[in-house]
Amino acid sequence: MLETPSITYTYFAAAWFFLLAASIASYFFYRWKVGICLLAVIIALPLMYIGVKPITIVGSAGFTMVDAPFDEKILYSWEDVEKVFLITNDETKKDSLEFHYKDNQTIIIDNHEEVQQLRSILLELKDTYGFTFTTKE
């Protein structure tokens, strides 16, 4: 599961807009089509690189943080989890997960779809790694 900042989508949308505009413009300006496309690529690639913000990946290794396209580090493994709370908001009826680690750090996942997927996975992982998984009032 991925948790991506929304600004990432904005940068990638701007980059794809430049690429799309260049492909349309190259049709109408046939003589300059190579230059137009190269200019669009030169603009789009830095936008995409800037758009790659820290992304959190929840997987079999635990929580992994990706800072740059080729730089990833494991923040916490499942062995570092002390307890996990399932929190249900009474007003919106949406769930969130609150992960507490042995070094007193906390990570909260609010995305409803991710919470639903993680609930079933956490039921298996809690027995394997020995952390508690309960509801929080």
Side-chain angles (χ1 to χ4, degrees), residues 63-84:
F63 285 80
T64 305
M65 178 68 75
V66 178
D67 289 328
F70 304 108
D71 181 31
E72 71 178 48
K73 61 181 177 180
I74 296 176
L75 291 177
Y76 294 104
S77 68
W78 291 112
E79 296 167 348
D80 298 330
V81 176
E82 185 176 359
K83 53 190 163 190
V84 179

Side-chain angles (χ1 to χ4, degrees), residues 17 28 30-32 42 47 61 68 73 82-83 86 95-96 112 116 124:
F17 172 76
F28 292 109
Y30 186 77
R31 289 183 153 189
W32 300 304
I42 290 170
L47 281 174
K73 61 181 177 180
E82 185 176 359
K83 53 190 163 190
L86 176 66
D95 297 330
S96 62
H112 182 68
Q116 296 306 319
E124 296 174 19

Side-chain angles (χ1 to χ4, degrees), residues 3 8 52 56 60 62 72 86 102 116 118:
E3 191 168 308
T8 298
V52 177
T56 304
S60 61
E72 71 178 48
L86 176 66
K102 294 177 181 172
Q116 296 306 319
L118 272 176

Side-chain angles (χ1 to χ4, degrees), residues 3 17 32 35 53 58 68 77 89 91 101-102 104 108 110 114 130:
E3 191 168 308
F17 172 76
W32 300 304
K53 299 292 181 188
V58 180
S77 68
N89 187 339
E91 296 173 5
Y101 295 96
K102 294 177 181 172
N104 295 327
I108 297 173
D110 291 330
E114 291 177 359

Side-chain angles (χ1 to χ4, degrees), residues 114-128:
E114 291 177 359
V115 170
Q116 296 306 319
Q117 290 176 350
L118 272 176
R119 283 176 71 179
S120 60
I121 295 170
L122 286 172
L123 290 173
E124 296 174 19
L125 291 174
K126 75 178 180 100
D127 295 330
T128 305

